[in-house]
């Protein structure tokens, strides 16, 4: 469990670092690349949190590695 919590924390810290940097993208890149990066980072964090608190752990292979 400690590794999952560590992954959640590191992903959260990455998102905190990422958000201000996305604001400095040019307007064109902010609304295309920036939105995609933000959305995917938040999806990753959500997945890590859900798997950290899941009662039954799923195989890593199931996520399409």
């Amino acid at each position: 469990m400690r590794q999952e919590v560590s992954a959640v924390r590191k992903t959260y810290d990455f998102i905190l670092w990422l958000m201000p940097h996305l604001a400095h993208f040019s307007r064109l890149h902010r609304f295309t690349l920036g939105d995609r990066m933000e959305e995917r980072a938040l999806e990753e964090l959500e997945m890590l949190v859900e798997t950290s608190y899941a009662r039954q752990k799923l195989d890593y292979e199931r996520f399409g590695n």
Side-chain angles (χ1 to χ4, degrees):
M1 172 105 171
R2 185 176 174 101
Q3 288 180 338
E4 290 96 2
V5 173
S6 176
V8 170
R9 183 68 201 176
K10 287 180 181 185
T11 303
Y12 178 76
D13 290 343
F14 170 71
I15 291 171
L16 289 179
W17 173 87
L18 179 66
M19 294 301 184
H21 286 80
L22 293 177
H24 294 290
F25 281 18
S26 68
R27 184 180 180 117
L28 174 66
H29 293 108
R30 190 175 336 131
F31 293 113
T32 54
L33 181 61
D35 282 346
R36 289 180 186 169
M37 290 174 68
E38 179 180 342
E39 183 177 332
R40 295 216 173 123
L42 291 171
E43 286 173 359
E44 181 73 20
L45 179 61
E46 181 180 6
M47 184 185 75
L48 287 170
V49 169
E50 287 176 359
T51 57
S52 293
Y53 290 103
R55 290 179 186 233
Q56 181 180 11
K57 303 297 182 188
L58 300 175
D59 289 334
Y60 184 71
E61 300 291 325
R62 184 170 180 189
F63 289 105
N65 178 9

